[in-house]
Amino acid sequence: MGPDKKGEKVNFGAAPGSPGAVTSSGLFSKVALGWALLLMALGMALAAYLGVFKPVSERPGAWFSRSGALITVLSIYAERVLASLIPGLNNAVMKHVRWISVPRHISFWMIVLGTIVWGYGDLLFDARHSVG
């Protein structure tokens, strides 16, 4: 059974009426939340790189490095939101639901990127801006 009217239970591999069954509106809202969290993480990294809201006393590289923590936390939260959909889906359906698996892969790499920025962002920032 595929997506029906808004809010109706959709059988994506779970027994109809079971706690694992996902509603079509719930599926869309969780995927949208996952994408929003990932975009917010990228936006915060870009804002920190550009020095938005940077305190006067803070070095730009250190400010960028701090954004790595936000990237990591928001990406982990996005992964958790998207992973919560998996119990309601079976493997046959997951192969065709790219709009769930793509942001999950992106969130993994955002977690890796956020961890690198968190640990080495000041060095990367300083190296980039000292060249030339």
Side-chain angles (χ1 to χ4, degrees):
M1 188 182 331
D4 285 324
K5 297 175 191 163
K6 185 177 178 180
E8 287 187 17
K9 293 285 184 182
V10 180
N11 184 6
F12 283 114
S18 71
V22 180
T23 65
S24 57
S25 62
L27 185 71
F28 175 77
S29 65
K30 284 191 174 187
V31 171
L33 176 60
W35 277 110
L37 289 166
L38 293 174
L39 290 174
M40 201 166 37
L42 278 176
M44 287 183 177
L46 180 62
Y49 184 80
L50 297 174
V52 177
F53 300 120
K54 182 186 79 60
V56 176
S57 62
E58 190 77 53
R59 285 185 17 252
W63 188 245
F64 176 62
S65 183
R66 291 174 190 246
S67 72
L70 295 173
I71 295 168
T72 302
V73 168
L74 289 172
S75 299
I76 288 171
Y77 185 51
E79 169 62 24
R80 186 174 168 106
V81 167
L82 294 165
S84 71
L85 296 170
I86 303 304
L89 306 174
N90 65 23
N91 288 334
V93 174
M94 275 304 294
K95 292 178 188 174
H96 304 290
V97 185
R98 293 180 190 255
W99 41 276
I100 293 174
S101 62
V102 168
R104 287 196 69 212
H105 291 291
I106 292 172
S107 69
F108 169 79
W109 289 110
M110 292 278 294
I111 292 167
V112 171
L113 174 70
T115 304
I116 291 169
V117 168
W118 195 356
Y120 302 102
D122 56 337
L123 301 175
L124 296 170
F125 188 91
D126 293 342
R128 171 83 171 120
H129 289 282
S130 66
V131 175

